[in-house]
Amino acid sequence: MADLKNLKGISEADKKLLAEAEEWLGAEPTKMGPVKNLFWGNIKEEFYFPYPVQDPRETAECDQLLARLDEYLKHEHPAVAIDQDQEIPRWVIDKLFGLGVLGMTIPKEFGGLGLGITSYNRVLERIGMSCGSTAVMVSAHQSIGCKAVMLYGNEDQKKKWLPHLAKDWLSAFCLSEPNVGCDAGGQETNFTKDGDYYIINGEKKWATSGAISGLFTVMCREKREDGKGKISALVCHPEMEGVEIFQKNRSKCGIRGTWQARIRFHNVRVHKDHLLGQEGRGLQIALSCLNYGRCTLSAGMIGGAKRVRDQATKWAMTRYQFGKPLAAQELVRQRISHMAALCYAMDAVLYMTTGMLDRHDEDIQVETAMCKVFCSEMGWRAVNDGVQIMGGESYMTENEVERIFRDSRINLIVEGANEVMQSYVFGYGGKQLAEQMLGIKNALMKDADESLGAFLGKAIKNSFRPEIMAKAIPLGLEVFLGIRRRLPVINKIHPDLREYADRLSHLVREHTYQFKVMSKRYDVKMLERQAVQARLADCALLLHAWACTLAKLENDMRKHGGNGNNDPEFQRDKSAAIHYFDLAELEIRTKMRSLYENADETMLKAADAAMKHTGTLPNGEFIIPERSPIAKGTGRTPSQRGIKQFPGDGARQPVGSM
């Protein structure tokens, strides 16, 4: 198989980016996951069918926890005060520790509940229904904070830290920096070695709960003269000399109760016993943890969206205008059905993904990324529907919807901005197929700088190689003659759902065709045509969500047998799923059409013109990124008048004893 880094005409910057991505992600798994198969035009039933279900014993244990949690959230939890005061009180954190919520995934031998990923996300979904801030705090602690210790800590580290993390310490994950956001590999926080110690220097930003945590997982790069130092994961505690929490939090639009700390490390000495996993494998640790964080972000989003769905639907049924309920109006009914369809599909995608994590599927990084993108985008759309249905009342604080609206928006940005994730889904999801296409091209097609004699010799030789021609002939029929490959078939399906399975098969076949045609059309330019990448990534996203929804609906129908007619919830969900299939197909076909009919060229010109004009405006009138390599220090300082401040307090002891 060819290597994309060897593509003719690729820039040095893109070569470096591809090389770094391969290093971060590690070796290709031996078995391709479900989404990669969609790019090849395959539907691998074993990944989707039967829809994952929990062990009955764990389900019962999780149900008991949810019952205790529900009682607390309904009668004690101060969701409005948390949002208004911009702080989660310590008594709330202690209550969640006492309920077992903050230690639910930590193994029982270390003081936790030992629940699986699906149970964990069920709990996060329930918290998200009541309080987005609390959902984020719980998720940051377990999905990325203590998860690194659970996955990569040795036995001594687990015995030392996990009991605290289950009972009285919050944890923080220190990855982002002033100059590092989605580019996680660009770590500037560094360490040098001094005998048995690592000496850390640098600064971290957006460390959720960092100011109230007892343990940090810090990603930092070894400082070497050759500039080739790799990233490692080191555990720090806030009382270590040289740890400075110089800002506890900043006031923000949503999830206002969460605190994101800014932390400086001044020659912090960290013993080698605090190294997680292997030296130089820090980025892989971070990416592994993000697989879990992207699911719990989705769970909190789904909880909020379902709450808005139910509230807005009830409002539409009871709010009268012009002598009849809002729900009688077709455009309102359109939004009600849209909310129902998206919530069912989000639920299907989330718990398909957690099922994959629980059964330890090997190749699921694309799937967890898709889970985050799909649930954040569709959740935002659903919440927006609810706001529109409730009108002016949706803006009133006491009606809760405005808080969910504000809390939801951040989900399209964090854990990998959705635009970055679109390029990731396209690039990593289609990478193996693209490399096979490149190999065939190199074997049989003429390069611009290749002599005619060399080309003929190469082409004749490779034309007699069966392993090449077996792949080249079907590919040539597709990209040159438009002859689509054979339809993938879904066999394990309820008879009543055959139509929707067949529609999915046709769309998957069309997706692989369009990927191949666009790859041929743009060739090396495809690496910079992000608008094209996004359309193909979105098609894959919607197809994956379709397969998840189909599997969930198939499972629900078999579970209900013939008794579903008298179950309003089941009837709502069945109708919602079928509506999602129609919505998804419309969107997929629109995106495929836009591969050919789009405004990309005028978009690029308009962007250039807008930037050229903005370049004439003085930087001093605008807020400029604090570490901008071209304009640092030239922007205006934002006014803090009237904004609540959260100054830092330097090093201090964590909650609980060391």
Side-chain angles (χ1 to χ4, degrees):
M1 189 174 289
D3 191 329
L4 287 179
K5 297 190 299 298
N6 297 329
L7 194 61
K8 294 282 174 84
I10 188 173
S11 69
E12 289 301 318
D14 282 335
K15 281 185 182 179
K16 181 180 178 184
L17 185 62
L18 286 168
E20 288 178 346
E22 288 173 357
E23 182 182 349
W24 302 340
L25 297 168
E28 289 280 1
T30 56
K31 185 177 181 181
M32 287 193 299
V35 171
K36 288 181 181 177
N37 271 285
L38 293 178
F39 277 89
W40 287 76
N42 303 322
I43 302 174
K44 291 293 186 180
E45 289 186 79
E46 64 268 25
F47 288 112
Y48 296 106
F49 298 91
Y51 191 77
V53 293
Q54 281 187 286
D55 173 74
R57 181 178 297 179
E58 177 163 329
T59 298
E61 188 175 349
C62 184
D63 287 344
Q64 293 173 6
L65 173 60
L66 283 167
R68 297 193 300 271
L69 177 64
D70 186 68
E71 183 72 15
Y72 161 71
L73 290 171
K74 283 182 177 178
H75 302 293
E76 297 180 58
H77 190 71
V80 175
I82 286 172
D83 180 67
Q84 296 294 303
D85 297 340
Q86 303 182 54
E87 180 176 2
I88 299 174
R90 182 67 214 186
W91 72 263
V92 169
I93 297 171
D94 290 338
K95 180 72 175 183
L96 294 172
F97 270 122
L99 287 169
V101 168
L102 284 166
M104 60 184 145
T105 63
I106 293 174
K108 291 181 179 180
E109 61 263 36
F110 300 115
L113 299 183
L115 295 177
I117 305 305
T118 297
S119 295
Y120 172 36
N121 280 269
R122 289 179 64 200
V123 171
L124 260 295
E125 180 185 331
R126 176 61 190 90
I127 297 173
M129 288 183 178
S130 296
C131 183
S133 290
T134 303
V136 170
M137 185 267 289
V138 173
S139 173
H141 170 61
Q142 289 189 90
S143 299
I144 54 177
C146 59
K147 180 60 73 172
V149 178
M150 290 171 57
L151 291 176
Y152 296 97
N154 58 41
E155 283 305 305
D156 287 341
Q157 290 171 334
K158 291 177 181 178
K159 289 176 183 177
K160 185 176 182 180
W161 297 323
L162 288 182
H164 280 298
L165 296 173
K167 297 298 182 184
D168 56 6
W169 284 359
L170 287 178
S171 57
F173 196 70
C174 298
L175 178 65
S176 298
E177 300 181 5
N179 218 24
V180 176
C182 293
D183 180 13
Q187 298 291 308
E188 294 178 353
T189 297
N190 63 77
F191 70 85
T192 54
K193 297 178 185 178
D194 181 14
D196 288 343
Y197 287 85
Y198 298 98
I199 313 300
I200 303 178
N201 284 280
E203 180 180 326
K204 293 294 180 178
K205 188 178 183 181
W206 311 126
T208 297
S209 301
I212 51 176
S213 291
L215 179 148
F216 309 144
T217 301
V218 182
M219 299 297 158
C220 46
R221 184 185 300 278
E222 183 179 6
K223 189 175 183 179
R224 288 175 39 170
E225 290 184 3
D226 61 7
K228 295 183 179 180
K230 294 186 177 181
I231 297 168
S232 296
L234 298 171
V235 169
C236 296
H237 301 292
E239 81 287 350
M240 288 179 168
E241 186 176 353
V243 174
E244 178 194 4
I245 299 172
F246 68 97
Q247 189 173 59
K248 295 178 182 177
N249 187 32
R250 288 165 67 190
S251 186
K252 50 194 174 289
C253 170
I255 57 166
R256 288 157 61 89
T258 63
W259 281 17
Q260 286 75 35
R262 297 192 68 167
I263 307 171
R264 291 193 183 109
F265 299 87
H266 305 278
N267 294 317
V268 178
R269 295 177 63 82
V270 181
H271 194 269
K272 65 180 183 180
D273 289 346
H274 284 220
L275 171 70
L276 286 181
Q278 297 178 353
E279 194 174 289
R281 301 291 291 175
L283 200 53
Q284 288 82 353
I285 291 173
L287 293 174
S288 296
C289 291
L290 287 174
N291 283 336
Y292 299 90
R294 285 168 179 157
C295 286
T296 49
L297 177 151
S298 301
M301 178 76 256
I302 290 172
K306 286 182 177 180
R307 176 62 183 156
V308 171
R309 174 200 63 192
D310 294 343
Q311 170 61 59
T313 303
K314 181 68 74 173
W315 185 273
M317 295 168 65
T318 56
R319 166 69 166 164
Y320 274 63
Q321 288 286 278
F322 307 108
K324 55 185 177 181
L326 292 179
Q329 305 291 347
E330 189 170 271
L331 289 178
V332 175
R333 294 164 71 88
Q334 183 182 52
R335 291 189 182 274
I336 291 172
S337 63
H338 193 236
M339 290 189 296
L342 296 187
C343 284
Y344 189 85
M346 285 189 288
D347 192 281
V349 170
L350 171 63
Y351 292 109
M352 178 67 77
T353 311
T354 63
M356 292 175 178
L357 285 164
D358 275 332
R359 69 193 186 203
H360 306 292
D361 284 10
E362 183 181 6
D363 188 19
I364 55 170
Q365 284 186 318
V366 178
E367 288 71 20
T368 58
M370 278 190 162
C371 182
K372 183 269 173 182
V373 174
F374 186 80
C375 292
S376 62
E377 174 61 36
M378 302 306 162
W380 172 248
R381 293 183 192 181
V383 171
N384 189 61
D385 284 331
V387 169
Q388 192 68 19
I389 288 172
M390 289 185 64
E393 282 292 341
S394 71
Y395 249 48
M396 300 300 107
T397 299
E398 67 268 21
N399 288 335
E400 302 177 350
V401 172
E402 67 87 26
R403 185 178 75 250
I404 298 174
F405 182 75
R406 288 186 287 104
D407 289 346
S408 297
R409 186 59 183 83
I410 192 63
N411 292 327
L412 284 76
I413 300 169
V414 295
E415 305 283 13
N418 283 6
E419 290 80 3
V420 174
M421 291 293 97
Q422 285 172 313
S423 290
Y424 171 74
V425 167
F426 169 84
Y428 195 52
K431 180 174 181 287
Q432 287 163 297
L433 175 56
E435 288 181 333
Q436 185 186 92
M437 292 174 65
L438 177 60
I440 293 170
K441 176 187 173 185
N442 290 342
L444 298 173
M445 304 293 287
K446 185 179 183 300
D447 289 333
D449 57 355
E450 191 174 29
S451 70
L452 181 60
F455 159 63
L456 290 174
K458 174 187 74 174
I460 292 171
K461 175 185 175 183
N462 289 325
S463 295
F464 288 97
R465 295 177 63 185
E467 69 274 14
I468 292 179
M469 298 311 295
K471 298 179 177 68
I473 291 172
L475 178 63
L477 290 173
E478 275 196 272
V479 299
F480 291 108
L481 299 180
I483 299 174
R484 273 62 163 177
R485 56 167 288 156
R486 187 174 59 184
L487 271 176
V489 178
I490 298 176
N491 297 302
K492 303 172 185 176
I493 196 68
H494 192 287
D496 292 349
L497 298 177
R498 170 53 56 195
E499 172 196 345
Y500 309 108
D502 290 346
R503 285 166 60 186
L504 174 61
S505 295
H506 280 85
L507 290 167
V508 168
R509 180 172 69 174
E510 190 64 18
H511 172 64
T512 190
Y513 169 74
Q514 297 296 346
F515 177 87
K516 293 165 186 171
V517 169
M518 290 298 114
S519 296
K520 174 183 175 293
R521 169 186 283 192
Y522 291 103
D523 198 31
V524 69
K525 294 286 186 183
M526 182 64 108
L527 293 173
E528 59 191 50
R529 294 307 300 265
Q530 289 188 320
V532 180
Q533 294 177 20
R535 293 178 188 118
L536 290 165
D538 287 346
C539 287
L541 180 74
L542 293 162
L543 292 169
H544 175 63
W546 186 314
C548 294
T549 303
L550 186 65
K552 177 176 169 58
L553 179 58
E554 201 267 349
N555 183 68
D556 288 350
M557 290 176 68
R558 294 192 185 280
K559 186 168 58 178
H560 280 80
N563 302 320
N565 291 335
N566 298 319
D567 185 339
E569 183 178 8
F570 171 70
Q571 289 301 319
R572 178 202 65 186
D573 289 346
K574 180 180 177 183
S575 298
I578 291 172
H579 185 46
Y580 171 73
F581 299 145
D582 283 350
L583 292 172
E585 182 162 4
L586 286 169
E587 189 166 353
I588 289 167
R589 293 200 179 280
T590 297
K591 289 184 181 297
M592 287 183 176
R593 186 168 61 251
S594 67
L595 292 169
Y596 302 90
E597 302 172 7
N598 55 64
D600 290 357
E601 298 310 314
T602 54
M603 172 270 290
L604 293 170
K605 291 177 181 177
D608 287 342
M611 289 187 289
K612 185 175 181 179
H613 169 68
T614 300
T616 67
L617 306 178
N619 287 358
E621 295 182 5
F622 302 93
I623 298 166
I624 299 294
E626 61 185 289
R627 296 287 178 86
S628 169
I630 61 170
K632 178 181 177 181
T634 63
R636 71 175 176 86
T637 302
S639 172
Q640 299 295 327
R641 188 180 307 159
I643 298 176
K644 184 173 181 177
Q645 299 299 304
F646 302 82
D649 57 4
R652 53 47 175 157
Q653 293 290 329
V655 176
S657 61
M658 286 298 295

